[in-house]
Amino acid sequence: MSDVTLTYISFGSNKGHRLHALQKAIYAIDSQVGDIQAISSVYETAALGFEGEDFLNMCIGVSTLLSPDELMDALIKIEEKMGRIRDPDSGYQSRVIDLDILYYGDQVVKTDRVSIPHPQIQNRLFVLKPLADIAPQFYHPVLGKDTRNMLQECPDRSAITRVHPPLAANRPSLF
């Protein structure tokens, strides 16, 4: 039997009703991936690497029985169901939802499809700030630094604004 693994996932949306897209993705992950353990606040940042509307970004911690490859498959299916169209030839572009695996426990995974920990965590304020909300003392298994230290050392000095408290983990919590 598989072990339950705490994994951290980053969310981004800059197309359509962004907050609704984040909430919808949380519900999908809760029902298809595993039990959500933590949800960060929602932050707004400018698009990075292309011209586009501002992003809403957040992170969650979720306990899952899925392997890294199965988790990647599940996240891609959620993105596609929500209207994300991936075009590898177009580079960065606006998207309804973007889901990235940041960590899968303390494992280091490198395949053609999956790179964990995410190779850009330490360089992205829009990932580190929400991750610090839910996992400030989680240590990067390669860099040996916790989230707070990486946040302090992050070269990205983009403006980031907290715009919404944590969203709901599942539908029953709304009642």
Side-chain angles (χ1 to χ4, degrees), residues 8 10 27 29 39 64 67 73 77 81-82 111 124 129 136 152 165 172:
Y8 291 98
S10 71
Y27 291 155
I29 288 172
I39 302 174
T64 187
S67 70
D73 289 341
K77 285 178 186 171
K81 187 173 183 180
M82 290 181 63
T111 68
R124 293 183 171 167
K129 184 67 174 154
Q152 290 173 345

Side-chain angles (χ1 to χ4, degrees), residues 34 121 127 165:
I121 291 173
V127 170

Side-chain angles (χ1 to χ4, degrees), residues 17-86:
H17 193 294
R18 303 170 300 163
L19 197 60
H20 176 75
L22 296 177
Q23 184 66 75
K24 188 174 179 181
I26 290 171
Y27 291 155
I29 288 172
D30 183 61
S31 68
Q32 299 167 38
V33 172
D35 294 327
I36 295 176
Q37 304 298 312
I39 302 174
S40 75
S41 292
V42 178
Y43 295 87
E44 188 168 48
T45 60
L48 185 64
F50 70 100
E51 292 294 322
E53 298 298 318
D54 290 348
F55 273 87
L56 290 185
N57 297 101
M58 57 172 284
C59 291
I60 67 166
V62 60
S63 294
T64 187
L65 291 169
L66 301 178
S67 70
D69 280 328
E70 292 169 333
L71 177 58
M72 178 62 77
D73 289 341
L75 296 181
I76 289 171
K77 285 178 186 171
I78 291 168
E79 288 179 340
E80 289 173 350
K81 187 173 183 180
M82 290 181 63
R84 168 100 188 251
I85 299 168
R86 290 180 180 265

Side-chain angles (χ1 to χ4, degrees), residues 76-147:
I76 289 171
K77 285 178 186 171
I78 291 168
E79 288 179 340
E80 289 173 350
K81 187 173 183 180
M82 290 181 63
R84 168 100 188 251
I85 299 168
R86 290 180 180 265
D87 183 0
D89 297 329
S90 295
Y92 290 123
Q93 55 191 331
S94 292
R95 57 209 87 155
V96 173
I97 195 71
D98 182 29
L99 303 170
D100 289 319
I101 304 169
L102 301 176
Y103 296 118
Y104 186 85
D106 61 359
Q107 294 184 33
V108 176
V109 180
K110 298 262 191 237
T111 68
D112 291 341
R113 299 188 59 232
V114 181
S115 185
I116 302 170
H118 191 285
Q120 294 298 319
I121 291 173
Q122 70 278 6
N123 298 319
R124 293 183 171 167
L125 186 61
F126 65 87
V127 170
L128 288 170
K129 184 67 174 154
L131 186 61
D133 285 356
I134 60 172
Q137 294 180 310
F138 189 88
Y139 273 81
H140 191 292
V142 175
L143 300 177
K145 297 177 182 179
D146 70 13
T147 305

